[in-house]
Amino acid sequence: MAALLPCIAALTACTGEPERPTLTEAARQLVSDGDALVSGIAPGLTGLAQERADQDLNTNCLKGEAQRYFRAKGNFANPSAENPPSLVGLLKGDLEGKGYTEIVDSLDLWEDNVSVAVMTHPQARLTFVLMAQKGTTPNVMIIGKTECYPSSG
């Protein structure tokens, strides 16, 4: 019986909430997921610019905390042939396949050929904002971020 108690305690510990990833682990997944999104749409974009979570930022965090961002933006290569809601739907589907869920419905934010979705990954604690629009440039923006973590420096 005494040998059984440590086994039960070990099993119980494994069934709790998943452990929070480190900032390095979260940033690695953020870049991987962001790169996958961009690679799927890059052929249809011009002027593609990316920032790939390579530095700590503290603009939205408490003092002593930092987070990482992934940003990509570009313009439609053929704007008249593009459908912003379809593009955002495609990007949403890619993220849903990676375990993300939608937290803001694009219909709440849809206006004049602008489509927006906000997706979050509950275990990795990452958030992506996906936006596509006609007319105003950049036409496509993908912004991902980690949550705030204690600063390393």
Side-chain angles (χ1 to χ4, degrees):
M1 182 68 155
L4 184 60
L5 289 177
C7 292
I8 293 173
L11 287 174
T12 304
C14 293
T15 60
E17 190 172 313
E19 191 173 312
R20 177 183 178 184
T22 66
L23 178 57
T24 301
E25 293 166 339
R28 188 176 310 121
Q29 182 172 346
L30 180 69
V31 169
S32 175
D33 293 348
D35 282 348
L37 289 175
V38 171
S39 70
I41 63 170
L45 298 177
T46 62
L48 182 62
Q50 288 182 256
E51 178 185 323
R52 299 179 68 237
D54 55 358
Q55 61 181 323
D56 290 353
L57 300 172
N58 62 3
T59 55
N60 294 317
C61 299
L62 298 174
K63 185 176 180 158
E65 293 183 332
Q67 67 187 149
R68 301 273 179 98
Y69 282 85
F70 176 96
R71 295 181 180 112
K73 61 184 177 179
N75 297 310
F76 292 129
N78 186 2
S80 62
E82 295 298 337
N83 181 334
S86 293
L87 179 65
V88 169
L90 174 74
L91 296 172
K92 278 176 30 180
D94 287 350
L95 287 176
E96 287 170 343
K98 296 178 183 302
Y100 287 79
T101 57
E102 186 172 29
I103 59 173
V104 175
D105 185 347
S106 67
L107 292 178
D108 293 339
L109 301 171
W110 190 87
E111 179 184 320
D112 297 332
N113 290 320
V114 176
S115 187
V116 178
V118 180
M119 309 289 290
T120 187
H121 193 293
Q123 288 80 29
R125 300 179 183 179
L126 302 173
T127 302
F128 273 95
V129 177
L130 312 168
M131 189 201 66
Q133 62 187 345
K134 284 190 176 183
T136 306
T137 58
N139 301 130
V140 178
M141 292 194 322
I142 299 170
I143 302 167
K145 66 177 187 165
T146 68
E147 63 181 17
C148 294
Y149 286 82
S151 293
S152 58

